[in-house]
Amino acid sequence: MTSAVEANADGLIGPTHSYAGLSPGNLASSLNAGEASNPRAAVLQGLDKMKRLADLGLPQFVLPPHERPDLRFLRSLGFSGSDAQVLERAWRDAPSFAAAACSASSMWAANAAMVTPGADSADGRVHFTPANLVTNLHRSLEHEQTKRALHALFPDPARFAVHDALPPVAHFADEGAANHIRLCADHGAPGVNLLVWGREAWEHWDGPYPARQTREASEAIARRHDARGVVLARQSRTAIAGGTFHNDVVCVGALNTLFHHELAFEDTAGTHAAIRQAADGFEPIFVEIAAADLPLADAISSYLFNSMLVQLPGEDRLTLICPTETRDNARSHAVAQGLTGSNGPIGRVEYVDVRQSMRNGGGPACLRLRVVLTEAELAATNPGMRLTDELHGALSVWGATWYRDELRPSDLADPGLLDESRGALDELTSILGLGGGFYPFQRT
Ligand code: SUG
């Protein structure tokens, strides 16, 4: 077995971070629709969270935000003229499409892609499939630029395979790593890849909220990555109806531990049994929280499970990195305290402030894409995108310089925001050493 580490790549929050209520079934997004956001606070919170993880000893990378407003999308709908005219016409005639074109949703990097580490892929390379995110219009605009960013971060085709997104149709609705958990004895050892899906491609779906991942999408990705140790499990309908738009809202896992809410899976006993059977060289530990101790609604509003479960260097037990909202919810806080007070696998809980993202339904786990890398693979990543103290400092100054401290959904129509965003992204490409042409506006 080769030794490996789990790195995190976080989505840097973009200058158009806003509360436009674009995601039905994501209760926080609906609840905060129309509120003013603070993009400057948001980007700084995200950067501080990244630095916290880097300081704890885990390799940390930055995925650049996407160009927004997405003028190419609006032009493809027939809006024409100068950029300012396109925006003005789109906001006048099709405000919902215009709002989708402005979303900073690429920040939630857990949805960027599904990742299979080399220890689990037949050809030994790390495989990435950018998620097509077809369930929500604003998110369906992400995968092409995500692929570009993954290529920039993982440039060596001998070690990394960056695929295209699955065909962008409802049958293959895919939300990336938010519905994937890898369990293993050690990061470098073969793992169990738990793929959680919400509906089948041909199933008539009549739930109150969309099921964003199809079984067929998960199967297709496992096939193209030639992934081993795959276990498929159905997300519970109750969880989706309660606002669990991704499995990572009620479940997280690391190494031999799966930490989840009682209502996460349609068939909990069957899911546990399948994981046990697939586990090679380790005994999985299931830490299941009963709905009687933590009602689903509290789990969703406090995001206890949308935490990062990490093994810190030199520590035996796992650390759970929760949003401060978990501490603010009496029941969730009690569960978190109970974990560390027991002899179980989770020995420590830490809290991070990502409130700006949380108001759109994105906790600490949503903001990061986990990538297991061997030492040689880590050395083959793009060093310009790795978060060092210096890069954290430079990006903090950059964000404080370019980003607004208040943005209402109505401000998204301001053509000045387009210029600011492009100015910010242009400078960002120099800071990260990405060169011209990384963004569409740099190629025209
Ligand atoms: O897809 N919110 C995102 C949150 C994604 C969270 N990711 C994970 N759980 N892994 C979503 O629902 C809201 C945008 C708005 O309403 O403006 C949004 O897209």
Side-chain angles (χ1 to χ4, degrees), residues 169-403:
V169 290
H171 301 74
F172 296 110
D174 172 31
E175 299 273 323
N179 296 314
H180 170 222
I181 288 172
R182 180 171 187 267
L183 300 179
C184 53
D186 182 276
H187 293 307
V192 175
N193 290 288
L194 176 66
L195 303 180
V196 184
W197 53 274
R199 67 176 168 88
E200 295 187 310
W202 306 101
E203 178 179 343
H204 170 67
W205 181 258
D206 56 5
Y209 299 131
R212 297 198 197 178
Q213 183 85 30
T214 65
R215 180 164 68 77
E216 288 78 354
S218 304
E219 285 171 346
I221 293 171
R223 226 172 3 246
R224 55 156 64 163
H225 290 193
D226 219 340
R228 291 181 290 231
V230 172
V231 169
L232 287 148
R234 184 168 194 148
Q235 196 182 2
S236 87
R237 291 182 183 83
T238 315
I240 299 171
T244 306
F245 55 97
H246 293 133
N247 176 61
D248 70 4
V249 171
V250 288
C251 182
V252 62
L255 295 177
N256 62 353
T257 302
L258 190 71
F259 174 48
H260 69 89
H261 191 270
E262 180 186 348
L263 296 174
F265 307 109
E266 194 67 32
D267 172 10
T268 307
T271 303
H272 287 183
I275 293 171
R276 262 194 210 100
Q277 200 181 3
D280 183 4
F282 70 100
E283 187 58 40
I285 301 178
F286 301 106
V287 181
E288 181 178 340
I289 304 302
D293 293 330
L294 184 66
L296 185 64
D298 287 270
I300 292 173
S301 64
S302 69
Y303 264 32
L304 168 68
F305 299 95
N306 197 261
S307 301
M308 301 174 67
L309 189 57
V310 291
Q311 183 185 38
L312 298 180
E315 295 200 7
D316 293 340
R317 294 166 84 200
L318 297 167
T319 296
L320 190 69
I321 299 177
C322 301
T324 47
E325 283 78 354
T326 298
R327 195 173 49 195
D328 298 343
N329 178 300
R331 289 184 172 119
S332 284
H333 190 224
V335 172
Q337 300 276 86
L339 293 172
T340 55
S342 75
N343 289 329
I346 302 171
R348 179 167 150 195
V349 177
E350 298 223 354
Y351 295 94
V352 288
D353 178 2
V354 288
R355 285 184 193 274
Q356 284 289 320
S357 167
M358 280 288 290
R359 286 193 200 140
N360 254 336
C366 299
L367 287 162
R368 60 89 175 100
L369 182 68
R370 299 196 273 192
V371 187
V372 167
L373 298 168
T374 62
E375 232 168 81
E377 288 160 354
L378 186 60
T381 56
N382 180 344
M385 296 169 83
R386 183 153 180 183
L387 193 87
T388 55
D389 283 352
E390 206 183 357
L391 182 59
H392 174 266
L395 291 177
S396 300
V397 171
W398 165 83
T401 308
W402 285 101
Y403 283 43

